């Protein structure tokens, strides 16, 4: 009678030992079947290599972001009517602390960005206007004691509204710029040769126009020189004048020569009026006007001869 329980116990242990491996094998088989049914993921493509224009794109985005923030926080709040109460039109120290970096940001981007693509040039010119108008606005808003308040308030209002309109154009302009490929920015993109020639000629043709708009006209009114717009036009125009001589554009040599003379004279004028020119102004400025008129006339004659139907 004592052997029966021991036999039963041994049988139970044997059965338990026999079931263990079977369950483990079944579990491994089920896992293998599940893995076989799982779809095989395609290997992920390698990340694109860094672009030589990543820094430039980042700078453009930073400028746009700051200008937009300044517009919302300060430009929109400029109130010319405050000078009636002998108050500043805006909190100048606060605005300058936040927005003066616009000047530094623009100075860092216009050289690497200039004359790469017409879409980028358009953005750059708008950004230059934003920078100039901000500088003018900050200067004008510091004045409180004004004898003729009505015209002064009108001037402040127009300056504020023009600045805000330029800022509003930055984001759409940046959107177009960010769509440009590296090839577009290297000058090897899809821009057709005729479009490239037109863009290049137009960049040179702006030189005498911008001289009038941003140097001679302001000086007649004793207004500030448009520093950032002028440096932008000079950079784009000089590079365009050099590009006109490339064989791919097939531009008349007389036009190429006139473009080079015009770009050189404009750069000289810009350098003259960008620095401490006041002591030499009376003696030096007539020569600058004379030089610009001479090369501008030469450009117009050469262009009209090479493209007689352009103005018709």
């Amino acid at each position: 009678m004592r052997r029966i329980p021991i036999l039963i116990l041994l049988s139970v242990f044997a059965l338990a030992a026999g079931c263990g491996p079977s369950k483990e094998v079944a579990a491994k088989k089920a896992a293998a079947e599940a893995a076989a049914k799982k779809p095989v993921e395609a290997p992920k493509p390698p990340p694109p290599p860094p672009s030589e224009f990543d820094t430039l794109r980042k700078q453009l985005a930073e400028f746009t972001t700051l200008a937009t923030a300044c517009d919302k926080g300060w430009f929109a709040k400029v109130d010319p009517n405050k000078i009636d109460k002998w108050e500043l039109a805006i909190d100048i120290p606060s605005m300058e602390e936040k927005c003066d970096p616009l000047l530094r940001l623009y100075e860092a981007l216009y050289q690497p960005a200039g004359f790469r693509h017409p879409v980028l040039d358009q953005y750059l010119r708008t950004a230059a206007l934003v920078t100039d108008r901000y500088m003018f606005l900050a200067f004008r808003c510091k004045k409180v004691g004004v004898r003729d308040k009505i015209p002064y308030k009108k001037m402040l209002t127009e300056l504020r509204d023009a600045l805000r309109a330029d800022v509003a154009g930055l984001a759409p302009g940046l959107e177009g710029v960010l769509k440009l490929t590296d090839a577009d920015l290297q000058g090897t993109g899809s821009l057709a040769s005729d479009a490239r020639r037109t863009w290049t000629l137009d960049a040179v043709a702006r030189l005498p126009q911008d001289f009038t708009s941003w140097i001679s006209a302001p000086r007649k009114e004793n207004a500030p020189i448009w520093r950032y717009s002028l440096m932008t036009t000079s950079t784009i125009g000089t590079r365009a004048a050099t590009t006109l001589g490339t064989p791919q554009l097939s531009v008349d040599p007389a036009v190429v020569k006139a473009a080079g003379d015009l770009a050189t004279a404009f750069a000289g004028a810009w350098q003259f009026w960008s620095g401490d020119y006041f002591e030499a102004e009376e003696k030096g400025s007539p020569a600058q006007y004379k030089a610009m008129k001479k090369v501008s006339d030469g450009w117009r004659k050469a262009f009209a001869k090479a493209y007689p139907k352009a103005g018709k």
Side-chain angles (χ1 to χ4, degrees), residues 147-258:
R147 179 178 297 179
D148 298 326
K149 288 185 170 58
I150 293 178
Y152 195 82
K153 290 192 294 184
K154 180 175 181 292
M155 180 268 295
L156 273 184
T157 300
E158 291 174 349
L159 183 54
R160 175 201 64 196
D161 293 348
L163 172 58
R164 298 200 66 208
D166 288 334
V167 172
L170 287 177
L174 178 64
E175 184 178 350
V177 169
L178 295 181
K179 291 179 180 177
L180 298 175
T181 65
D182 284 8
D184 292 330
L185 297 174
Q186 289 165 345
T188 57
S190 59
L191 195 65
S193 58
D194 288 346
R196 191 175 299 279
R197 185 185 305 109
T198 299
W199 162 45
T200 307
L201 289 168
D202 287 348
V204 175
R206 279 196 61 149
L207 292 169
Q209 300 170 15
D210 289 355
F211 179 87
T212 299
S213 299
W214 296 330
I215 292 180
S216 61
R219 288 194 70 244
K220 289 178 182 178
E221 301 173 3
N222 198 26
I225 299 294
W226 291 66
R227 174 183 176 84
Y228 295 94
S229 295
L230 284 168
M231 66 170 63
T232 302
T233 291
S234 183
T235 297
I236 294 174
T238 298
R239 292 174 181 173
T242 302
T243 304
L244 280 179
T246 57
Q248 294 87 343
L249 294 183
S250 301
V251 175
D252 187 287
V255 174
V256 175
K257 170 69 166 54

Side-chain angles (χ1 to χ4, degrees), residues 38-49:
K38 187 178 180 180
V40 179
E41 294 184 4
K44 294 182 179 180

Side-chain angles (χ1 to χ4, degrees), residues 4 20 39 48-50 67 83 85 94 108 117 120 124 135 160 181-182 188 195 215-216 240 275 295 307-308:
I4 294 174
I83 67 173
K85 302 176 183 178
S94 176
H117 193 277
L120 179 54
L124 205 59
M135 189 171 64
R160 175 201 64 196
T181 65
D182 284 8
T188 57
I215 292 180
S216 61
V295 295
Y307 306 98

